[in-house]
Amino acid sequence: MKLPKTIKIFVTLVVFVVSGAFTPINNKVNFYKDLKKYCSSLPNEFNQINEERKKELLEIANYIIEKQISHRSSRLLFICTSNSRRSHMAQIWAQSAAIYYGVDSVMTFSGGTEATRVHPNTIATLRRCGYSITTSQANDNPYYSVNAGNKVSLGFIYSKKYNNTRNPKSNFLAAMVCSDADKSCPVIDGADTRIALPYEDPKYYDNTPSQDQKYDERCRQIAREMFFIMDYVKQKLILKVESNR
């Protein structure tokens, strides 16, 4: 007996959930061991994201889905004030999540309303997560090479303004990860859409006993939310493929 399409989609959904197909087969994700372990624990924390926050995250997810359906790349630009902490974490984690879930044609960028440097505490935090990060240029604004695995390069990060020539000028989503940047830049030229996604700045804990703890907390929050986005994208794309069969 041939099942109606709606029942077929439901059965497919159940099979995928039971089999764990909404998360990648981790042994095929060529991340460093410690980073892979860190990543595999993030989906267990999606219930920590409140419903209001999920609405904001799903705006980004739906933007990626629309681009995927039209066979176009998704360019995500994360913007804060000094491009030294949160925007870099978001850029790296969003790209890592796309790789982890096998969501193709996602490119991530970051910038600030001003250029300073990537803060050393940002680099230290990401290293504790399992990334390999090396300095490729020593000056007041160093370039850092970031790798998630032996053959998984995430490219270079350094502090720059959001309208820097290395960032997209059109057809991108602008995510404002800093409330100050959100207020000072009500319009981002060239952006398809602009979303306020503020995170508390860990800089307020610099040189305090809570420094590493607070940086790790913020980093994990950002990682959790970027993984939530890509997990949702992967689910919807799988269901769309099945519905078209």
Side-chain angles (χ1 to χ4, degrees):
M1 181 178 70
K2 188 175 180 180
L3 293 174
K5 180 176 283 190
T6 54
I7 297 177
K8 183 178 178 182
I9 293 172
F10 175 76
V11 171
T12 301
L13 174 60
V14 172
V15 170
F16 274 116
V17 170
V18 171
S19 66
F22 279 160
T23 56
I25 300 173
N26 286 333
N27 59 14
K28 291 186 178 180
V29 178
N30 195 29
F31 284 179
Y32 296 120
K33 181 179 178 181
D34 288 346
L35 180 60
K36 187 187 296 185
K37 182 178 179 180
Y38 187 106
C39 292
S40 66
S41 66
L42 292 170
N44 298 327
E45 300 176 3
F46 289 166
N47 61 356
Q48 296 181 27
I49 307 172
N50 65 47
E51 293 305 312
E52 192 60 35
R53 187 68 169 182
K54 284 180 180 178
K55 290 179 183 179
E56 297 166 341
L57 298 173
L58 291 180
E59 287 189 55
I60 300 176
N62 287 323
Y63 176 84
I64 297 171
I65 291 168
E66 289 176 10
K67 293 292 186 181
Q68 289 278 328
I69 291 172
S70 60
H71 304 288
R72 291 183 291 171
S73 61
S74 305
R75 301 195 288 183
L76 312 178
L77 174 59
F78 297 95
I79 302 173
C80 64
T81 301
S82 59
N83 193 211
S84 59
R85 296 173 178 83
R86 293 161 290 177
S87 51
H88 284 296
M89 292 181 191
Q91 174 188 351
I92 289 170
W93 280 117
Q95 193 68 67
S96 298
I99 295 170
Y100 189 86
Y101 283 100
V103 179
D104 297 328
S105 302
V106 173
M107 296 178 285
T108 66
F109 308 85
S110 68
T113 56
E114 61 181 7
T116 55
R117 63 168 181 158
V118 182
H119 198 279
N121 287 340
T122 302
I123 299 301
T125 301
L126 292 168
R127 282 174 174 157
R128 287 195 292 272
C129 297
Y131 290 100
S132 173
I133 303 177
T134 57
T135 307
S136 62
Q137 182 176 330
N139 55 28
D140 291 338
N141 184 11
Y143 282 49
Y144 294 95
S145 174
V146 183
N147 291 280
N150 290 327
K151 295 182 179 181
V152 188
S153 172
L154 302 184
F156 295 93
I157 60 172
Y158 64 99
S159 185
K160 57 198 171 298
K161 293 188 70 172
Y162 70 88
N163 57 359
N164 183 275
T165 55
R166 297 195 62 162
N167 286 337
K169 296 294 179 291
S170 61
N171 302 316
F172 65 93
L173 178 145
M176 315 303 288
V177 297
C178 163
S179 56
D180 289 339
D182 184 35
K183 293 175 184 176
S184 62
C185 294
V187 177
I188 303 296
D189 292 336
D192 292 328
T193 188
R194 176 189 178 282
I195 295 173
L197 193 70
Y199 293 98
E200 182 182 345
D201 197 343
K203 75 176 182 180
Y204 299 114
Y205 298 94
D206 286 351
N207 304 312
T208 72
S210 301
Q211 174 184 284
D212 290 354
Q213 175 192 343
K214 293 300 182 180
Y215 270 82
D216 289 350
E217 287 177 0
R218 192 61 54 242
C219 187
R220 191 163 186 91
Q221 179 194 8
I222 293 172
R224 180 189 308 131
E225 295 189 352
M226 295 304 112
F227 267 60
F228 174 83
I229 290 169
M230 297 303 170
D231 181 271
Y232 181 88
V233 170
K234 189 66 173 182
Q235 290 185 41
K236 292 299 182 182
L237 292 177
I238 289 173
L239 291 179
K240 181 162 184 63
V241 169
E242 289 302 315
S243 67
N244 290 334
R245 288 181 179 178

